[in-house]
Amino acid sequence: METLGDMISMESLGLEEAIERARILLEAVSRGEYCCLRFGLPYVTPSLLASQVFCEKKLEYSLLNESEDEKAKRVSEARKLVEVLLEARRHLPRQLDRFTLSFPVAAVVEGVPIIGRPHAVYFEDGHVAAIVLGKITMRPSKLYDSDRVKLYAYALTLAYAGFPLTSRTRLVLVAAKDNKKLIDALSSLDPGSARPFRGDGAAIHVLAHDVHVELETVSNLLAYWKGNRASTARQGPWCSSCPFRELCKN
Ligand code: SF4
């Protein structure tokens, strides 16, 4: 029987080629060549996928109420990211074995364009050694399902764009209670050898890159955007502050 892994088709490229591939997709999105996900969205972001985890129905209600300006902003955001990507490419360190980049990533994953900008991507010996995200939260030591989805979505986006990820690539979330603690934790992080850590007001969570696990987690979320299934409502503590609870029949 054909497994999910058998169906994965990814090609690992050099750094410049992978950046070029991401640029081509960003430019196509900014020209309006992608339009046809649910609600006419041209692409999704890892944050949007993460918000699906709480309650997809709530997300659906908020997108139904989105203004034309907000819709247009998604396209103009892609245009801005092209400039950021080109700037990052101009400053690629060509001599170093180890370096960190902060740049936008874009790829079509399972038929859905995903665009995002991780806090940092750490390269070591020609491979992606770590993808790093930062977050301010009241509970830094807890890794939520939504955090996992976000890390997986970034890993898939980089992998599908052709960036050289390996089984040793770490997916790192640095969580802290406030901005100062987050900056301190990020600046003392050695991404290539990051280990899980729980400290005073900050924590580091580390996941392994495994494309099969990532796809198993994210594919069902992507299926919603392709119109392959209806939204699902998920009740929880968040319902008490949901602006759509009068509409919601769940
Ligand atoms: S009330 Fe709860 S279940 Fe209904 S849409 Fe809002 S968050 Fe989702």
Side-chain angles (χ1 to χ4, degrees):
M1 196 179 94
E2 196 177 41
T3 66
L4 196 56
D6 297 328
M7 295 185 281
I8 300 169
S9 122
M10 274 174 294
E11 182 193 3
S12 193
L13 305 171
L15 178 54
E16 292 208 34
E17 283 174 286
I19 288 179
E20 176 62 7
R21 191 185 272 190
R23 182 195 65 79
I24 290 168
L25 177 58
L26 281 170
E27 287 205 335
V29 169
S30 69
R31 285 195 300 266
E33 290 175 23
Y34 286 83
C35 64
C36 302
L37 301 176
R38 267 186 196 271
F39 308 105
L41 258 59
Y43 61 88
V44 297
T45 62
S47 297
L48 199 62
L49 295 173
S51 67
Q52 267 177 277
V53 175
F54 289 102
C55 178
E56 222 166 44
K57 199 78 190 167
K58 181 180 174 186
L59 179 65
E60 187 167 85
Y61 283 133
S62 66
L63 286 168
L64 278 168
N65 285 299
E66 204 173 59
S67 67
E68 288 306 312
D69 282 356
E70 285 169 312
K71 285 180 186 154
K73 217 168 125 189
R74 290 182 204 280
V75 173
S76 65
E77 186 63 22
R79 202 168 299 126
K80 279 186 216 150
L81 291 178
V82 174
E83 291 308 314
V84 179
L85 189 64
L86 290 175
E87 186 63 18
R89 188 166 71 179
R90 276 194 282 277
H91 294 102
L92 273 187
R94 290 165 209 282
Q95 310 293 334
L96 301 176
D97 291 336
R98 297 172 179 195
F99 56 91
T100 303
L101 288 180
S102 174
F103 64 110
V105 293
V108 178
V109 179
E110 303 269 287
V112 177
I114 303 181
I115 294 177
R117 189 174 182 184
H119 181 88
V121 181
Y122 180 73
F123 291 85
E124 198 170 87
D125 299 327
H127 289 96
V128 175
I131 300 166
V132 181
L133 304 183
K135 170 186 168 179
I136 294 176
T137 168
M138 289 310 291
R139 298 177 67 190
S141 59
K142 182 158 174 58
L143 182 73
Y144 293 89
D145 287 347
S146 54
D147 297 326
R148 203 176 286 273
V149 163
K150 205 167 176 179
L151 287 165
Y152 286 169
Y154 271 114
L156 286 172
T157 308
L158 277 143
Y160 274 74
F163 288 93
L165 276 67
T166 72
S167 57
R168 284 176 291 127
T169 301
R170 290 170 161 84
L171 315 180
V172 181
L173 175 71
V174 180
K177 279 195 170 168
D178 57 47
N179 204 34
K180 183 180 178 313
K181 284 193 166 65
L182 182 62
I183 290 169
D184 289 348
L186 283 167
S187 47
S188 59
L189 181 75
D190 178 359
S193 57
R195 298 266 182 278
F197 162 83
R198 286 179 189 189
D200 177 26
I204 295 172
H205 304 275
V206 182
L207 301 177
H209 166 58
D210 180 330
V211 78
H212 300 94
V213 173
E214 289 155 7
L215 274 176
E216 275 172 20
T217 306
V218 173
S219 287
N220 190 43
L221 300 175
L222 297 177
Y224 167 74
W225 295 106
K226 290 186 280 187
N228 292 351
R229 64 169 179 83
S231 64
T232 54
R234 183 165 166 249
Q235 291 176 317
W238 45 83
C239 289
S240 61
S241 59
C242 175
F244 308 110
R245 60 186 184 282
E246 297 295 317
L247 286 171
C248 178
K249 304 280 184 283
N250 295 282

